[in-house]
Amino acid sequence: MDTSVRSGYLRGFRKILLYGSCLNEDLLRGFGDYAKLSCCLEEEHANMIGFKLAGILARGDYDEIAVLTVDGSLHCVQLHHLVEEVCRIVRNPPKRRHMVVVDGEMRDIPEDAVKISRYLSKVSKLYKCENPQ
């Protein structure tokens, strides 16, 4: 994410899309009204992206931040978590939208699912409710 936090590009949008750089560009066509920022958490540390995002949100006025990644990626899942974490620390956080790509299709993921997935003990408890032994 090499975009300046005060770039003219960002100022032209009210919404931001953070997406995994490994995604097919065709998937981004429906996001014409979003500032598109790609990142790869295999190459950049989550703290660097989170700090940059906090700077962007602190200096701009955005209605929404969306995250689009590959489902099941060990690295990409961090992007969903860091957006939630950054939004906890900035004033007036924007609405969040989480999406993953499964078999070439985008699927919306509820914000609560992202929050719960951070806690393996809660995931385990939910899993046991669905799959009693």
Side-chain angles (χ1 to χ4, degrees):
M1 217 165 61
D2 57 1
T3 303
S4 168
V5 298
R6 292 294 290 160
S7 89
Y9 171 70
L10 287 172
R11 286 190 296 246
F13 296 93
R14 300 282 302 168
K15 298 177 183 180
I16 297 172
L17 173 67
L18 287 180
Y19 67 95
S21 59
C22 59
L23 289 175
N24 184 327
E25 296 281 326
D26 293 339
L27 292 167
L28 306 179
R29 287 189 184 141
F31 296 95
D33 56 340
Y34 289 75
K36 295 176 203 69
L37 303 173
S38 71
C39 48
C40 177
L41 286 160
E42 285 187 65
E43 296 175 4
E44 300 170 289
H45 194 279
N47 291 348
M48 292 173 64
I49 294 171
F51 190 71
K52 173 72 72 109
L53 179 60
I56 290 169
L57 295 179
R59 288 168 180 80
D61 187 21
Y62 300 97
D63 297 328
E64 180 181 300
I65 181 161
V67 183
L68 177 63
T69 65
V70 174
D71 195 28
S73 166
L74 174 66
H75 298 99
C76 285
V77 73
Q78 295 175 85
L79 194 54
H80 297 274
H81 293 291
L82 80 82
V83 165
E84 288 301 316
E85 191 67 22
V86 167
C87 286
R88 289 181 70 189
I89 63 172
V90 297
R91 290 185 196 159
N92 304 315
K95 178 181 134 187
R96 270 97 63 211
R97 181 177 177 197
H98 296 276
M99 298 161 287
V100 295
V101 176
V102 179
D103 297 327
E105 293 182 17
M106 280 188 290
R107 294 190 189 168
D108 284 301
I109 304 299
E111 195 176 305
D112 285 343
V114 174
K115 290 176 184 176
I116 291 170
S117 72
R118 185 171 171 167
Y119 301 94
L120 294 178
S121 61
K122 292 179 182 183
V123 172
S124 177
K125 190 175 184 178
L126 291 169
Y127 178 77
K128 287 178 182 174
C129 289
E130 292 289 321
N131 299 297
Q133 295 179 354

